[in-house]
Amino acid sequence: MKYDFTTRLNRTGTGSFKWDEMYRKAPDLGSGIVPLSVADMEFKNPPQIKQAIADWLDDAVLGYTDPTDEFLDACVDWQRRRHGWQAERHWIVPTAGVVPALFNAVRSLTKPGDGVIVQPPVYYPFSKAVTTLDRTLVTNPLLRTTRDDGSPYYQMDFEDLELKAQDPNNTMLILCSPHNPVGRVWSAAELRRLLDICVKNDVIVVADEIHDDLIMPGHKHTAIMSVADVGEYDHILVATAPSKTFNIAGLQASAIFVPNDDVRDRFRHGLELVPSSELNCFAYPATIAAYTKCDDWLDELIQVVSANFEFLRGFMASYLPEVVVYPMEGTYLAWADFNAWGLSTEELESFMEKDALLFLDEGYVFGKGGAGFERFNLACPRDVLEESLERLVHAAKVRRLGSFAEGDQA
């Protein structure tokens, strides 16, 4: 490969949130353990992005900085090239991250007491944005089912969604597309049906498409804007960012596409109430480089992550077949069901962290339907993943869990 996806990084003492959180939980852990929790990568950044920042610094003044035409063009052109839909530059509202944008959308496009629909198990800031801002959390849980070949997967409960959308108190739905943590890449038909329901019932759709670039081989992301009609633009806001794709979350760069003028004005007004809504100055050259120079890096990344998922799935099938690993159509986050072990959420979390020395994202934090699940971050070198899974199997043997309940059989 042209790029380095094998070097093992040590982020101790760098301020990495997930590494610091691991050591807060296990201060005596020592070295050699890599957390597979929070969704940033254990890979080096694309060299083109680092070089772009260095070049920009040569003549830069680090003052307040607005988006340039080059930045806006890069965001628009990326969506056209990679996802096949045409935006306009003036639709873009830059924000310092997708999560602040979600909070602002709830604050500016709904009123206190309104119902906001989420589809759990789902990225937990969705629910936090609703409850923190004194709105009513309305759940439309995803359904667990199986395909004709017996493989597990999730689908939307459209009948339940229609009932929830028909309630005039429910005015917004926050869509995760691709879905974090369950890994679904929604089809055009699914998105079209969702839009039909929401537009008919005057429910605005806030689509978090931050993982839209991280699509595994054999699957294709459908941008919600590519299935929408112009007359539906007043019901759609799309949150995008280069942060997950290129591991630059620390630069706080997001491009929110708001095609309707009135909705955009309301959204911008909401940002005026937040003193720190501007992007930092490094976000602009980094985003431009990411969206104009890093296609090859992304293509290699997807091959690495896909191979890691196949290794995880094969490993579990061989050693812990009772653990159900759901297909990872998108994101770099694998979703695995450990409920067959019969442990409580507290027991499972304790086992992972104290016995297996695995620091994952616990399924229960994603809301209804997440208990007993674990989310594995697969954006890491293969040897990190192998060592992590070996610790898991060893700890399961010691505790006589699952396949080893009657003794050491493997």
Side-chain angles (χ1 to χ4, degrees), residues 9 18 28 41 44 50 58 64 123 125 142 150 171 181 208 257 283 335 343-344 349 358-359 375 404 407:
L9 306 179
K18 69 180 177 183
D28 299 322
M41 304 182 197
K44 295 180 178 180
K50 288 188 173 182
D58 283 344
Y64 298 111
Y123 184 48
L142 300 179
T171 61
D208 175 1
F257 290 87
W335 187 237
L343 301 179
S344 68
E349 184 171 13
L358 270 178
F359 295 84
R375 193 187 75 171
F404 311 111

Side-chain angles (χ1 to χ4, degrees), residues 35 116 145 172 185 204 227 256 355 377:
V116 178
T145 184
M172 177 178 285
V185 172
I204 190 168
V227 301
I256 315 304
D355 295 65
N377 183 337

Side-chain angles (χ1 to χ4, degrees), residues 204-225:
I204 190 168
V205 177
V206 177
D208 175 1
E209 297 190 1
I210 195 172
H211 289 100
D212 60 355
D213 303 317
L214 298 161
I215 308 301
M216 296 302 103
H219 300 278
K220 181 181 184 300
H221 171 71
T222 300
I224 196 167
M225 287 296 297

Side-chain angles (χ1 to χ4, degrees), residues 3 43 83 85 87 169 180 185 202 211 356 367 381 383 399:
Y3 298 102
F43 295 133
H83 303 300
W85 68 280
N169 294 312
N180 169 21
V185 172
D202 199 22
H211 289 100
D383 66 329
R399 286 281 299 273

Side-chain angles (χ1 to χ4, degrees), residues 230-282:
V230 173
E232 298 170 326
Y233 285 3
D234 60 341
H235 284 81
I236 303 172
L237 179 151
V238 184
T240 71
S243 53
K244 298 298 181 191
T245 308
F246 301 104
N247 205 29
I248 55 173
L251 293 180
Q252 300 173 308
S254 297
I256 315 304
F257 290 87
V258 193
N260 178 266
D261 292 343
D262 177 64
V263 176
R264 192 182 324 112
D265 287 345
R266 292 161 62 194
F267 186 77
R268 285 189 184 278
H269 178 68
L271 289 175
E272 293 172 0
L273 306 177
V274 184
S276 59
S277 61
E278 297 88 358
L279 275 62
N280 74 72
C281 56
F282 299 104

Side-chain angles (χ1 to χ4, degrees), residues 274-334:
V274 184
S276 59
S277 61
E278 297 88 358
L279 275 62
N280 74 72
C281 56
F282 299 104
Y284 298 111
T287 299
I288 292 166
Y291 282 165
T292 60
K293 299 179 179 179
C294 295
D295 290 63
D296 290 346
W297 185 92
L298 173 57
D299 292 341
E300 286 193 8
L301 168 74
I302 289 171
Q303 295 301 318
V304 171
V305 171
S306 177
N308 277 352
F309 175 74
E310 293 304 326
F311 178 82
L312 169 72
R313 183 161 59 177
F315 189 99
M316 291 297 196
S318 296
Y319 296 100
L320 299 171
E322 71 281 359
V323 175
V324 180
V325 179
Y326 278 75
M328 190 179 73
E329 299 173 354
T331 80
Y332 50 72
L333 307 165

